[in-house]
Coordinates of all heavy atoms in Angstrom, one line a residue:
N1 N 3.6 -9.1 5.2 CA 3.8 -10.3 6.1 C 4.0 -11.6 5.3 O 4.4 -12.6 5.8 CB 2.7 -10.4 7.1 CG 2.7 -9.2 8.1 OD1 3.8 -8.7 8.4 ND2 1.6 -8.9 8.6
S2 N 3.5 -11.5 4.0 CA 3.5 -12.8 3.2 C 4.5 -12.9 2.2 O 4.4 -13.8 1.3 CB 2.0 -13.0 2.6 OG 1.7 -12.0 1.7
V3 N 5.5 -11.9 2.1 CA 6.4 -11.9 1.1 C 7.8 -11.6 1.7 O 7.9 -11.1 2.8 CB 6.1 -10.8 0.0 CG1 4.9 -11.2 -0.8 CG2 6.0 -9.4 0.5
A4 N 8.9 -11.9 0.9 CA 10.2 -11.6 1.2 C 10.7 -10.8 0.0 O 10.9 -11.4 -1.0 CB 11.0 -12.8 1.5
L5 N 11.1 -9.6 0.1 CA 11.5 -8.7 -0.9 C 13.0 -9.1 -1.2 O 13.8 -9.4 -0.4 CB 11.4 -7.2 -0.5 CG 9.9 -6.7 -0.4 CD1 10.0 -5.3 0.0 CD2 9.2 -6.7 -1.7
C6 N 13.3 -9.0 -2.5 CA 14.7 -9.2 -3.0 C 15.6 -8.1 -2.4 O 15.2 -6.9 -2.4 CB 14.7 -9.2 -4.4 SG 14.0 -10.5 -5.2
P7 N 16.7 -8.4 -1.8 CA 17.5 -7.5 -1.0 C 18.1 -6.4 -1.9 O 18.4 -5.3 -1.4 CB 18.6 -8.4 -0.4 CG 18.7 -9.6 -1.2 CD 17.2 -9.8 -1.7
E8 N 18.2 -6.6 -3.3 CA 18.8 -5.6 -4.0 C 17.9 -4.5 -4.5 O 18.3 -3.6 -5.1 CB 19.5 -6.3 -5.4 CG 18.5 -7.0 -6.2 CD 18.3 -8.4 -5.8 OE1 18.7 -8.8 -4.7 OE2 17.8 -9.3 -6.7
L9 N 16.7 -4.6 -4.1 CA 15.7 -3.6 -4.5 C 16.0 -2.3 -3.6 O 16.3 -2.4 -2.5 CB 14.2 -4.1 -4.0 CG 13.7 -5.2 -4.9 CD1 12.4 -5.7 -4.4 CD2 13.5 -4.9 -6.4
N10 N 15.8 -1.2 -4.3 CA 16.0 0.0 -3.7 C 14.9 0.9 -3.4 O 14.3 1.5 -4.3 CB 17.0 0.9 -4.7 CG 17.5 2.3 -4.1 OD1 17.5 2.4 -2.9 ND2 17.9 3.2 -5.0
G11 N 14.4 0.7 -2.2 CA 13.2 1.4 -1.8 C 12.9 1.3 -0.3 O 13.8 0.8 0.5
D12 N 11.7 1.6 0.2 CA 11.3 1.6 1.6 C 9.9 1.7 1.8 O 9.1 2.1 0.8 CB 12.0 2.8 2.3 CG 12.2 2.4 3.8 OD1 11.7 1.3 4.3 OD2 12.8 3.1 4.5
F13 N 9.4 1.4 2.9 CA 8.0 1.6 3.3 C 7.7 3.0 3.7 O 8.5 3.5 4.6 CB 7.6 0.6 4.3 CG 7.4 -0.8 3.9 CD1 8.4 -1.7 4.1 CD2 6.2 -1.3 3.3 CE1 8.3 -3.1 3.7 CE2 6.1 -2.6 2.8 CZ 7.1 -3.5 3.0
I14 N 6.7 3.6 3.0 CA 6.5 5.0 3.3 C 5.0 5.2 3.5 O 4.2 4.6 2.9 CB 6.9 5.9 2.0 CG1 8.4 5.7 1.8 CG2 6.6 7.4 2.3 CD1 9.0 6.3 0.5
D15 N 4.7 6.1 4.4 CA 3.3 6.5 4.6 C 2.7 7.2 3.4 O 3.4 7.9 2.8 CB 3.3 7.5 5.8 CG 1.9 7.7 6.2 OD1 1.0 8.3 5.5 OD2 1.4 7.5 7.4
L16 N 1.6 6.7 3.0 CA 0.9 7.1 1.8 C 0.8 8.7 1.7 O 0.8 9.3 0.6 CB -0.5 6.5 1.6 CG -1.2 6.6 0.3 CD1 -0.1 6.1 -0.9 CD2 -2.4 5.9 0.2
R17 N 0.7 9.2 2.8 CA 0.5 10.8 2.9 C 1.8 11.5 2.3 O 1.7 12.6 1.8 CB 0.1 11.2 4.3 CG -1.2 10.9 4.8 CD -1.4 11.3 6.3 NE -2.7 10.9 6.8 CZ -3.7 11.5 6.9 NH1 -3.9 12.7 6.1 NH2 -4.8 10.9 7.4
Q18 N 2.9 10.8 2.6 CA 4.1 11.4 2.2 C 4.4 11.6 0.6 O 5.1 12.3 0.2 CB 5.3 10.7 2.8 CG 5.3 10.8 4.3 CD 6.5 10.1 5.0 OE1 7.5 9.9 4.3 NE2 6.3 9.7 6.2
V19 N 3.7 10.7 -0.1 CA 3.9 10.7 -1.6 C 2.7 11.1 -2.4 O 2.6 11.0 -3.6 CB 4.2 9.2 -2.0 CG1 5.6 8.8 -1.5 CG2 3.1 8.2 -1.6
I20 N 1.6 11.6 -1.6 CA 0.4 11.9 -2.3 C 0.6 13.1 -3.3 O -0.1 13.2 -4.4 CB -0.7 12.4 -1.2 CG1 -2.0 12.5 -2.0 CG2 -0.3 13.7 -0.6 CD1 -3.2 12.7 -0.9
T21 N 1.6 13.9 -3.1 CA 1.9 15.1 -4.0 C 2.9 14.6 -5.2 O 3.0 15.3 -6.0 CB 2.5 16.2 -3.3 OG1 3.7 15.9 -2.6 CG2 1.5 16.7 -2.3
E22 N 3.5 13.5 -5.0 CA 4.4 13.0 -6.0 C 4.1 11.9 -6.9 O 4.4 11.8 -8.1 CB 5.7 12.5 -5.2 CG 6.4 13.4 -4.2 CD 7.0 14.7 -4.8 OE1 7.3 14.5 -6.0 OE2 7.2 15.7 -4.3
C23 N 3.2 11.0 -6.3 CA 2.8 9.8 -7.2 C 1.8 10.2 -8.2 O 1.0 11.1 -8.0 CB 2.2 8.8 -6.2 SG 1.9 7.1 -6.9
E24 N 1.9 9.5 -9.3 CA 0.9 9.8 -10.5 C -0.5 9.6 -9.9 O -0.7 8.6 -9.2 CB 1.3 8.7 -11.6 CG 0.3 8.9 -12.8 CD 0.6 7.7 -13.8 OE1 1.7 7.2 -13.7 OE2 -0.3 7.4 -14.6
F25 N -1.5 10.4 -10.4 CA -2.8 10.3 -9.8 C -3.4 8.9 -9.9 O -4.0 8.4 -8.9 CB -3.7 11.3 -10.5 CG -5.0 11.4 -10.1 CD1 -5.4 12.0 -9.0 CD2 -6.1 10.7 -10.8 CE1 -6.7 12.1 -8.5 CE2 -7.4 10.8 -10.2 CZ -7.7 11.5 -9.1
T26 N -3.3 8.2 -11.0 CA -3.8 6.9 -11.1 C -3.3 5.9 -10.3 O -3.9 5.0 -9.6 CB -3.8 6.4 -12.6 OG1 -4.4 7.4 -13.5 CG2 -4.5 5.0 -12.8
L27 N -1.9 6.0 -10.2 CA -1.1 5.1 -9.3 C -1.5 5.2 -7.9 O -1.6 4.4 -7.0 CB 0.3 5.1 -9.6 CG 0.8 4.5 -10.9 CD1 2.3 4.8 -11.0 CD2 0.4 3.1 -11.1
F28 N -1.7 6.6 -7.4 CA -2.1 7.0 -6.1 C -3.5 6.2 -5.8 O -3.7 5.8 -4.7 CB -2.2 8.5 -5.9 CG -2.6 8.8 -4.5 CD1 -1.9 8.7 -3.4 CD2 -4.1 9.1 -4.3 CE1 -2.3 9.0 -2.1 CE2 -4.5 9.4 -3.1 CZ -3.6 9.4 -2.0
G29 N -4.3 6.2 -6.8 CA -5.6 5.7 -6.6 C -5.5 4.2 -6.3 O -6.2 3.6 -5.5
F30 N -4.6 3.5 -7.0 CA -4.4 2.1 -6.8 C -3.8 1.9 -5.4 O -4.1 0.9 -4.7 CB -3.5 1.5 -7.8 CG -4.2 1.1 -9.2 CD1 -3.8 1.7 -10.3 CD2 -5.1 0.1 -9.1 CE1 -4.4 1.4 -11.6 CE2 -5.8 -0.3 -10.3 CZ -5.5 0.5 -11.4
A31 N -2.9 2.8 -5.0 CA -2.2 2.6 -3.8 C -3.2 2.8 -2.6 O -3.3 2.1 -1.6 CB -1.1 3.7 -3.6
A32 N -4.2 3.8 -2.8 CA -5.2 3.9 -1.8 C -6.2 2.7 -1.8 O -6.4 2.3 -0.6 CB -6.1 5.2 -2.2
K33 N -6.5 2.1 -2.9 CA -7.4 0.9 -2.8 C -6.6 -0.2 -2.3 O -7.2 -1.0 -1.5 CB -7.7 0.6 -4.3 CG -8.6 -0.5 -4.5 CD -9.0 -0.8 -6.0 CE -9.6 0.3 -6.6 NZ -10.1 0.0 -8.0
S34 N -5.3 -0.3 -2.5 CA -4.4 -1.4 -1.9 C -4.5 -1.4 -0.4 O -4.7 -2.5 0.2 CB -3.1 -1.4 -2.5 OG -2.3 -2.4 -2.0
I35 N -4.3 -0.3 0.2 CA -4.3 -0.2 1.6 C -5.7 -0.5 2.2 O -5.7 -1.3 3.2 CB -3.8 1.2 2.0 CG1 -2.4 1.4 1.9 CG2 -4.3 1.5 3.6 CD1 -1.8 2.7 2.3
Q36 N -6.6 0.0 1.6 CA -8.0 -0.3 2.1 C -8.4 -1.8 1.9 O -9.0 -2.4 2.8 CB -9.1 0.6 1.3 CG -8.8 2.0 1.7 CD -9.8 2.9 0.9 OE1 -10.9 3.1 1.3 NE2 -9.4 3.4 -0.3
F37 N -8.1 -2.4 0.8 CA -8.3 -3.8 0.6 C -7.6 -4.7 1.6 O -8.1 -5.6 2.1 CB -8.0 -4.2 -0.9 CG -9.1 -3.7 -1.8 CD1 -10.2 -3.0 -1.4 CD2 -9.0 -4.1 -3.2 CE1 -11.2 -2.5 -2.3 CE2 -10.0 -3.7 -4.0 CZ -11.1 -2.8 -3.7
Q38 N -6.2 -4.3 1.8 CA -5.5 -5.2 2.7 C -5.9 -5.1 4.1 O -5.9 -5.9 4.9 CB -4.0 -4.8 2.5 CG -3.3 -5.2 1.3 CD -3.2 -6.7 1.1 OE1 -3.2 -7.4 2.1 NE2 -3.0 -7.1 -0.1
H39 N -6.4 -3.8 4.4 CA -7.0 -3.7 5.8 C -8.2 -4.5 5.9 O -8.5 -5.1 7.0 CB -7.4 -2.2 6.0 CG -7.9 -1.8 7.3 ND1 -9.3 -1.7 7.5 CD2 -7.3 -1.5 8.6 CE1 -9.5 -1.4 8.8 NE2 -8.4 -1.3 9.4
F40 N -9.0 -4.5 4.9 CA -10.3 -5.4 5.0 C -9.9 -6.9 5.2 O -10.4 -7.6 6.0 CB -11.0 -5.2 3.6 CG -12.1 -6.3 3.4 CD1 -13.2 -6.3 4.2 CD2 -11.9 -7.4 2.5 CE1 -14.2 -7.2 4.0 CE2 -12.8 -8.3 2.3 CZ -13.9 -8.2 3.0
V41 N -8.9 -7.4 4.5 CA -8.5 -8.8 4.6 C -8.1 -9.1 5.9 O -8.3 -10.1 6.6 CB -7.5 -9.1 3.5 CG1 -6.9 -10.5 3.8 CG2 -8.0 -9.1 2.1
E42 N -7.2 -8.1 6.6 CA -6.6 -8.4 7.9 C -7.8 -8.3 8.9 O -7.6 -9.0 10.0 CB -5.6 -7.3 8.1 CG -4.3 -7.6 7.4 CD -3.6 -8.8 7.8 OE1 -3.3 -9.0 9.1 OE2 -3.5 -9.8 6.9
T43 N -8.8 -7.4 8.8 CA -9.8 -7.2 9.8 C -11.0 -8.0 9.7 O -12.0 -7.9 10.5 CB -10.2 -5.8 10.0 OG1 -10.5 -5.4 8.7 CG2 -8.9 -4.9 10.3
H44 N -11.1 -8.9 8.7 CA -12.3 -9.8 8.4 C -11.8 -11.2 8.2 O -12.4 -11.9 7.4 CB -13.1 -9.3 7.3 CG -13.8 -7.9 7.5 ND1 -13.1 -6.7 7.4 CD2 -15.1 -7.7 7.7 CE1 -14.0 -5.8 7.7 NE2 -15.2 -6.3 7.9
K45 N -11.0 -11.8 9.2 CA -10.6 -13.2 9.2 C -11.7 -14.0 9.8 O -11.9 -15.2 9.5 CB -9.3 -13.3 9.8 CG -8.2 -12.6 9.1 CD -6.9 -12.8 9.9 CE -5.7 -12.2 9.3 NZ -4.4 -12.3 10.0
F46 N -12.5 -13.4 10.8 CA -13.5 -14.2 11.4 C -14.9 -13.4 11.3 O -14.9 -12.2 11.2 CB -13.1 -14.4 12.8 CG -11.9 -15.1 13.0 CD1 -10.7 -14.5 13.1 CD2 -11.9 -16.4 13.0 CE1 -9.4 -15.2 13.4 CE2 -10.7 -17.2 13.2 CZ -9.5 -16.6 13.3

């Protein structure tokens, strides 16, 4: 919600479950942490 992606980028938003078998283990850990941290920020504004 806080960014505008460059239009020439080649990708899409994907449910994390769909890439759990493909993504490198360390990067998947960062992805998991990212979702949890962003969820925290969104649900603890007050």
Side-chain angles (χ1 to χ4, degrees):
N1 292 330
S2 64
V3 296
L5 294 173
C6 292
E8 60 269 21
L9 293 175
N10 187 20
D12 202 355
F13 285 97
I14 301 174
D15 189 296
L16 192 55
R17 292 177 187 271
Q18 297 181 23
V19 296
I20 193 170
T21 59
E22 305 289 340
C23 191
E24 179 187 339
F25 181 77
T26 302
L27 289 175
F28 175 78
F30 277 119
K33 185 181 293 186
S34 180
I35 283 182
Q36 291 176 89
F37 283 2
Q38 290 293 342
H39 181 267
F40 164 72
V41 171
E42 286 296 302
T43 56
H44 288 77
K45 295 179 179 179
F46 298 94

